[in-house]
Amino acid sequence: MLTAAFIPLLVAGIAGSAAGQISGFNYDESKVPDYKLPDPLVFNSGKAVTSAKQWTSKRRGEVLELFRKEVYGRQPKDAPRLYSEELERSENALGGIAIRRQIRLYLGRRGEQPYMDLLVYQPNDAEKAVPVFMGPNFRGNHTTDHDPAIHAKEYHKGQSVVMEKRGEKAHRWQAELIVKSGFAVATVYYGDIDPDFDDNWKNGWHKYFPMDDPVKPDAWGSIATWAWGLSRVVDYLEIDDTLDHDKVALIGHSRLGKTALWAGAEDERFKIVISNNSGCGGAALSRRRFGETVERINQVFPHWFCDNFNKYNGNEDELPVDQHMLISLIAPRPVYIASATGDEWADPNGEFKSGKGAESVYALFGLKGLGVESQPKPNTPIGDAIGYHLREGPHDVMKFDWIQYIQFAKRHFEIK
Ligand code: GTR
């Protein structure tokens, strides 16, 4: 199947092949170069971090700063006041089990751009505020379920706008399963925050928070912008007392998995972070150069990261961080990393190893991470504070993945 994920690469003239591989890149474990990961538990000064307190009060800030400066770029310091408007509501959605709400979140003035549209399903028999799975979607809220009442919106396919079929990505959201499990599911279209193409950061919310001219090398790229937008959704959850803003699990797939990890690093209000097949610039270790590489991602998606990230094209060993340190930034909050067998482009083993590399930070808090030494067999979920599975099948979000995420969230949120 030709997935959305590979369209930009095909456009760029590269043919896809088996198991989510793009030709011309390394998929051979024996050809992974020798590399040495930077140690999250060593201060920039060279001294060792020996306690959770040292991590929280100082080292975490150093690592966050390195990622801001060298990888994703800086978000604005202040968030604008948010206005919300419920556009639509039903008490009887998803065959009678859910409340459906469509809420417009304005960033500047009520009734004006910029805004994003939040779709929420939540159990209609809940006696108290419910925990929430929240995440961005790729092609509009109406693609996340077949429900005919969801307002349809065109999505940006590169520079053009296209209307996607209703329910086209419903399998990625599993609204009924989530609601039946006692959670709300909330989603926004990521193009409401920043349309996903390179326009030198002119459109989307960048328009309202203009870049310096020339653009600074550590100015926020699209991943940081999407992440910042997701934090604004949490601003809203905080004022909605039917949703439990202390129990928000953030989920993202692929480029939006990268976004979920970075959002979770920047904003500790995300209490669980789930990376579904996030790959390069997400959970996968850059130094392994397995599947997608730093150079490749910067060439094909020049707007995703900050300009400084280009310094590491073909030069991964010079990065002051690697992606295990991004996972470390989630600690001590639970994080789930999911890979798929048909997604070699995202380096499943590199995603697993990133979790391994973060275990020492979780250990400072007395928490067990993955708890195994090597990548488990397909369809075998493992881990404690760091969850992991390698699902059989393609680069996608499937029901199998959701069953694990729900169990993981129930365990960590202590829900029966
Ligand atoms: C691919 C990209 C991946 C991944 C994917 C997606 O083209 O190379 O890093 O982000 O897109 O987001 O679907």
Side-chain angles (χ1 to χ4, degrees):
M1 191 180 79
L2 181 64
T3 64
F6 298 124
I7 289 169
L9 294 151
L10 290 175
V11 169
I14 276 121
S17 57
Q21 297 183 358
I22 311 289
S23 58
F25 294 85
N26 179 43
Y27 302 100
D28 181 345
E29 195 60 45
S30 73
K31 294 205 176 104
V32 170
D34 286 338
Y35 61 89
K36 191 170 176 304
L37 290 180
D39 189 341
L41 295 187
V42 176
F43 284 111
N44 291 347
S45 67
K47 279 204 188 134
V49 177
T50 53
S51 68
K53 189 161 174 250
Q54 286 180 358
W55 170 265
T56 308
S57 64
K58 183 151 179 239
R59 178 59 180 155
R60 183 177 190 279
E62 285 186 356
V63 175
L64 191 59
E65 184 56 23
L66 289 169
F67 274 105
R68 284 181 183 148
K69 183 160 173 249
E70 306 292 337
V71 184
Y72 302 103
R74 295 174 197 287
Q75 301 177 341
K77 286 203 180 63
D78 303 313
R81 182 159 170 208
L82 202 77
Y83 298 90
S84 66
E85 183 185 2
E86 192 171 277
L87 300 181
E88 192 271 343
R89 181 190 185 95
S90 157
E91 302 289 327
N92 205 19
L94 300 180
I97 59 165
I99 299 172
R100 178 190 59 241
R101 292 186 290 154
Q102 302 190 66
I103 303 159
R104 185 157 285 177
L105 302 177
Y106 297 99
L107 235 72
R109 286 166 185 274
R110 195 185 292 272
E112 286 178 21
Q113 285 275 12
Y115 59 75
M116 59 183 159
D117 289 326
L118 179 69
L119 169 68
V120 183
Y121 288 108
Q122 60 198 89
N124 61 9
D125 60 353
E127 278 152 23
K128 53 179 188 165
V130 289
V132 186
F133 280 104
M134 198 267 270
N137 67 71
F138 281 84
R139 296 188 180 182
N141 294 347
H142 69 289
T143 66
T144 68
D145 198 274
H146 293 279
D147 184 343
I150 306 173
H151 300 156
K153 181 182 278 186
E154 290 171 320
Y155 79 99
H156 298 260
K157 189 176 182 183
Q159 312 241 8
S160 35
V161 280
V162 178
M163 183 60 87
E164 180 59 283
K165 274 209 269 338
R166 183 171 297 279
E168 179 71 8
K169 297 285 180 225
H171 68 280
R172 285 195 178 166
W173 290 91
Q174 303 285 336
E176 249 185 79
L177 174 69
I178 298 169
V179 168
K180 280 187 181 150
S181 307
F183 291 79
V185 54
T187 186
V188 290
Y189 163 52
Y190 82 137
D192 270 359
I193 303 167
D194 192 22
D196 190 358
F197 60 89
D198 182 23
D199 68 341
N200 209 18
W201 292 302
K202 293 273 185 305
N203 63 12
W205 292 1
H206 283 118
K207 206 157 125 193
Y208 305 90
F209 301 90
M211 292 284 206
D212 295 299
D213 187 14
V215 170
K216 290 212 175 101
D218 61 350
W220 56 343
S222 293
I223 290 176
T225 313
W226 297 323
W228 191 76
L230 298 176
S231 285
R232 307 290 66 81
V233 178
V234 186
D235 295 347
Y236 171 73
L237 299 182
E238 287 187 330
I239 55 163
D240 183 323
D241 32 277
T242 66
L243 303 172
D244 187 347
H245 62 262
D246 279 328
K247 294 200 171 90
V248 178
L250 176 62
I251 174 168
H253 168 60
S254 206
R255 70 198 66 185
L256 297 177
K258 309 179 208 298
T259 303
L261 289 171
W262 182 236
E266 280 281 15
D267 190 338
E268 295 178 82
R269 295 176 300 169
F270 294 110
K271 291 293 157 40
I272 290 179
V273 180
I274 302 165
S275 150
N276 193 92
N277 306 180
S278 63
C280 181
L285 293 174
S286 302
R287 279 168 173 76
R288 281 172 48 85
R289 304 149 173 98
F290 186 105
E292 189 170 27
T293 60
V294 170
E295 179 166 21
R296 170 75 192 165
I297 205 166
N298 279 328
Q299 276 171 358
V300 179
F301 306 102
H303 55 298
W304 282 5
F305 299 88
C306 72
D307 282 350
N308 271 338
F309 198 40
N310 286 300
K311 292 193 283 184
Y312 307 102
N313 292 347
N315 192 24
E316 291 85 347
D317 294 312
E318 292 307 311
L319 266 164
V321 290
D322 209 318
Q323 299 305 108
H324 63 305
M325 292 162 81
L326 177 62
I327 307 297
S328 306
L329 288 172
I330 314 292
R333 293 163 294 156
V335 60
Y336 202 111
I337 304 170
S339 310
T341 54
D343 190 22
E344 297 232 51
W345 183 237
D347 186 12
N349 198 20
E351 296 185 313
F352 171 80
K353 285 191 186 316
S354 208
K356 280 309 283 176
E359 281 186 321
S360 60
V361 178
Y362 281 83
L364 286 180
F365 295 89
L367 296 171
K368 206 165 111 194
L370 293 164
V372 298
E373 286 317 304
S374 49
Q375 206 187 9
K377 292 205 169 65
N379 299 344
T380 315
I382 51 117
D384 195 349
I386 307 176
Y388 179 85
H389 68 246
L390 171 67
R391 175 187 36 77
E392 218 151 347
H395 178 76
D396 205 344
V397 194
M398 318 281 275
K399 191 167 183 186
F400 176 89
D401 300 309
W402 271 108
I403 291 170
Q404 315 318 319
Y405 303 153
I406 290 168
Q407 270 176 20
F408 187 76
K410 280 191 160 180
R411 177 151 52 88
H412 289 288
F413 287 158
E414 296 177 358
I415 298 166
K416 299 262 152 30

